[in-house]
Amino acid sequence: MDKILEVCDLKKTYGAIEAVRGISFFVERGGLFAFLGPNGAGKSTTIDILCTLLKADAGTVTIDGYQLGRQDGAIRAKIGVVMQDNLLDPLLTVRENLVTRGGLYGMSGAELSDAIERAATATAVTDFINRPYGKLSGGQRRRADVARALIHTPKLLFLDEPTTGLDPQTRSGIWETLLLLRRQQGLTVFLTTHYMEEAAGADYVVVIDEGIVAAKGTPETLRSRYSHDRLTLYASDPAMVAGQLERLHAPFTRTGGTFVILLSDTKAALYLLDLCRLYISGFEVQSGTMDDAFLGITGKEMRA
């Protein structure tokens, strides 16, 4: 297993507040890794540490073979970061912003021109590369942010809620770009998001809450462990449906003639449907979602 990032017993306190309390996890090279948690969970503190913006109190972090706290310069050369807030100069064009960013990595001349062309093409910003950043739409600015993060061809890209506030079509376009970069460049993506459908596409998920790792695994593992499938019955005879479910001691919630039953697995719906088929006008079977799993792990909504 090739680990590009490994975190061991990471800790950070602010006075009496233990923001991060000894968390450990790793990220496989070339993968899409989702790091989730409600507000106040310690997620932002952890990301700031990993991006060399904040010093940890204890623990070790290794990124692409370099040790955090000792080889931070080498680590910065290997990572790209797209934060929630826009960081580019709104008065400069996208190209001018990229020139400035490339200069910080010691690039100039043909090397810088090639890097700008490569990053601009990869993120599809060439059509507006000569427009001021501050005049761009939200989706265009996000693409420019990603281009900035890619100017030095990093191996690990941190994305802190990269599509927040964007419309679904623009979000989809951003993700098409990121998936293409993963295929073409073997880029590893470290993602935080409150859109659970984005987390559902990850190779591996870690959920942090109250400064500790509350759960980790593949999206499918977390869904199966922490969420339930649901059967919704639309009753033509609510009294009979209620009676059948009560005789089975099947827990349910009822709103008028609509009954919702949590299932141990999807197949369990078959028996209940057969039992109630004479008394219902319709039904739905829904698989457990990442939203359900997140709520089951933390007891909180994602946006809490």
Side-chain angles (χ1 to χ4, degrees):
M1 184 181 299
D2 189 3
K3 303 174 185 177
I4 193 170
L5 168 64
E6 189 164 14
V7 177
C8 183
D9 201 25
L10 191 67
K11 297 179 182 179
K12 180 65 180 179
T13 61
Y14 300 99
I17 300 173
E18 295 180 288
V20 180
R21 300 190 288 148
I23 65 173
S24 300
F25 61 88
F26 64 87
V27 178
E28 289 191 51
R29 190 179 302 274
L32 172 56
F33 176 91
F35 190 60
L36 309 180
N39 289 344
K43 185 171 79 271
S44 295
T45 295
T46 301
I47 293 169
D48 285 348
I49 292 171
L50 299 182
C51 294
T52 76
L53 301 175
L54 187 65
K55 182 177 175 59
D57 294 331
T60 61
V61 176
T62 304
I63 297 179
D64 200 32
Y66 297 102
Q67 189 168 344
L68 188 70
R70 295 184 181 180
Q71 299 167 297
D72 289 3
I75 287 174
R76 293 186 190 109
K78 299 293 183 181
I79 66 173
V81 184
V82 178
M83 306 302 286
Q84 294 181 44
D85 298 325
N86 299 318
L87 298 177
L88 299 187
D89 191 321
L91 300 179
L92 298 180
T93 66
V94 174
R95 184 185 299 278
E96 290 166 341
N97 271 293
L98 295 179
V99 168
T100 301
R101 184 67 178 182
L104 295 177
Y105 288 97
M107 297 179 185
S108 62
E111 180 190 15
L112 179 55
S113 296
D114 289 345
I116 291 172
E117 178 67 22
R118 185 170 56 249
T121 300
T123 55
V125 304
T126 51
D127 288 346
F128 50 87
I129 195 169
N130 293 315
R131 290 175 57 190
Y133 179 78
K135 299 292 186 181
L136 302 179
S137 69
Q140 289 171 331
R141 286 197 298 271
R142 225 40 181 151
R143 288 185 179 277
D145 292 339
V146 176
R148 173 196 59 82
L150 296 175
I151 195 72
H152 59 302
T153 317
K155 293 186 177 181
L156 173 60
L157 181 63
F158 288 92
L159 299 173
D160 191 7
E161 299 192 5
T163 59
T164 297
L166 301 180
D167 62 84
Q169 183 177 1
T170 303
R171 283 172 53 204
S172 177
I174 294 292
W175 274 106
E176 286 177 7
T177 298
L178 293 170
L179 293 175
L180 183 63
L181 288 168
R182 287 184 62 206
R183 288 196 300 268
Q184 291 181 342
Q185 301 181 14
L187 184 68
T188 306
V189 176
F190 186 112
L191 168 74
T192 75
T193 181
H194 62 245
Y195 295 116
M196 289 295 97
E197 67 269 28
E198 293 181 348
D203 299 304
Y204 200 80
V205 178
V206 165
V207 180
I208 184 174
D209 192 23
E210 298 183 352
I212 62 172
V213 173
K216 55 186 176 181
T218 65
E220 184 55 40
T221 297
L222 297 183
R223 277 195 298 261
S224 64
R225 185 175 300 169
Y226 296 102
S227 70
H228 293 278
D229 295 341
R230 293 185 182 88
L231 171 63
T232 302
L233 301 177
Y234 302 101
S236 54
D237 189 335
M240 288 299 297
V241 171
Q244 296 285 51
L245 296 177
E246 287 167 357
R247 276 191 288 275
L248 285 176
H249 303 290
F252 64 88
T253 58
R254 175 182 175 182
T255 304
T258 301
F259 295 77
V260 178
I261 306 104
L262 296 182
L263 304 172
S264 56
D265 58 68
T266 306
K267 290 187 295 184
L270 296 174
Y271 179 72
L272 293 173
L273 287 171
D274 187 57
L275 193 69
C276 299
R277 61 190 176 87
L278 297 177
Y279 317 115
I280 61 175
S281 58
F283 69 92
E284 283 183 80
V285 180
Q286 297 171 303
S287 298
T289 66
M290 281 296 295
D291 282 296
D292 298 329
F294 186 87
L295 183 61
I297 293 164
T298 67
K300 307 180 183 100
E301 297 285 351
M302 186 64 212
R303 294 175 182 266

